Amino acid sequence: MRPLIPSSALVTAVTASLLLAPSAYATPQGDNGTVKIHDATTGEELRRNEPKVCSFYLDAFGFDATQQVSWHIEAWANNELAKGEIVKSGSLTLDGSGHERTADMTLPDGQYKLFWNFEGENGKAKHKVFKTDCPAEEEPADKPGKPAEEPADEPAATPNEKPSEPAPAGEQPNGGASPTESAPASAAPAGQDGGSGGSGDLAETGSGAPVGVLSAVAAALLGAGGYLVMRRRKAQQS
């Protein structure tokens, strides 16, 4: 005859098995956290991953208190680097709640992969693939520009008239002859001169005839008149 098992002992055995069973399937210590890629403008309290960023940081949640972490980022695709080349790396200590973040960082546009290793991990490192894509830089709005117009080398307007030139000597401003300039003397008739070959040393009458010519004509007339008078007297006497 088989001995009967006390009911109290059976209850104790079942309770113990139920309490110990979950521990066999619990997440290994240290592997229960997660890491996210965050844009630099995203708050670190948000547990979301952003696979496309420009300036960014790494944000860890749910790890063991004061756990030590080491991480690195490798070039992956769509950039000028060889795949697997390490472009960033670092380490940090998580706080009492298993949370911490890195400083902001940037990378050239392309695709990269994060590898997150931590103290007490039981398996592979945690990883995230992400892409950096920054907008093209624009010139600052306050950058000094080129002057709209360069200073003109010449005056903008040319005077309509040139400054009046001084009148030549001997002329009045209105084009008339100077008061001190006399009218040119009348030219002497061809072949007539004052007897010395020059005509500029003889005075002229109001009619323009030389004084010497008039004197000679007068003398000739007087001589002819005297001759006629003498002949007439001789004819009367005879």
Side-chain angles (χ1 to χ4, degrees), residues 4-228:
L4 297 177
I5 301 174
S7 60
S8 59
L10 182 59
V11 172
T12 301
V14 172
T15 302
S17 63
L18 292 175
L19 292 174
L20 296 175
S23 63
Y25 300 97
T27 304
Q29 185 179 11
D31 289 0
N32 54 349
T34 184
V35 61
K36 306 296 184 182
I37 307 294
H38 276 176
D39 187 270
T41 60
T42 300
E44 61 182 86
E45 72 281 356
L46 300 178
R47 296 195 179 195
R48 70 182 183 189
N49 191 61
E50 296 174 298
K52 185 176 180 181
V53 293
C54 178
S55 178
F56 66 97
Y57 66 94
L58 310 179
D59 202 359
F61 300 94
F63 288 91
D64 294 335
T66 66
Q67 201 165 17
Q68 298 294 319
V69 176
S70 63
W71 58 269
H72 70 272
I73 298 174
E74 297 179 4
W76 210 245
N78 301 324
N79 51 49
E80 299 179 354
L81 303 174
K83 183 176 181 179
E85 181 177 344
I86 297 176
V87 294
K88 293 281 186 181
S89 63
S91 61
L92 50 81
T93 300
L94 305 182
D95 61 17
S97 62
H99 170 257
E100 194 55 76
R101 58 157 289 175
T102 65
D104 293 347
M105 63 189 88
T106 57
L107 287 171
D109 290 356
Q111 192 176 56
Y112 300 89
K113 188 171 183 178
L114 166 68
F115 292 85
W116 184 271
N117 296 93
F118 45 91
E119 181 184 22
E121 70 180 42
N122 296 289
K124 296 181 180 179
K126 295 184 181 295
H127 53 80
K128 287 285 188 296
V129 175
F130 64 99
K131 181 180 181 181
T132 58
D133 185 11
C134 294
E137 295 183 359
E138 298 181 357
E139 294 186 359
D142 58 349
K143 181 178 180 180
K146 184 178 180 181
E149 296 183 2
E150 295 183 358
D153 294 335
E154 298 180 356
T158 303
N160 294 331
E161 297 182 1
K162 295 182 179 180
S164 58
E165 297 180 358
E171 293 186 5
Q172 295 290 341
N174 58 2
S178 172
T180 58
E181 182 180 356
S182 59
S186 300
Q192 295 182 359
D193 54 28
S196 61
S199 61
D201 55 347
L202 298 177
E204 295 182 358
T205 64
S207 63
V211 176
V213 174
L214 295 178
S215 299
V217 172
L221 291 176
L222 289 175
Y227 176 74
L228 292 175

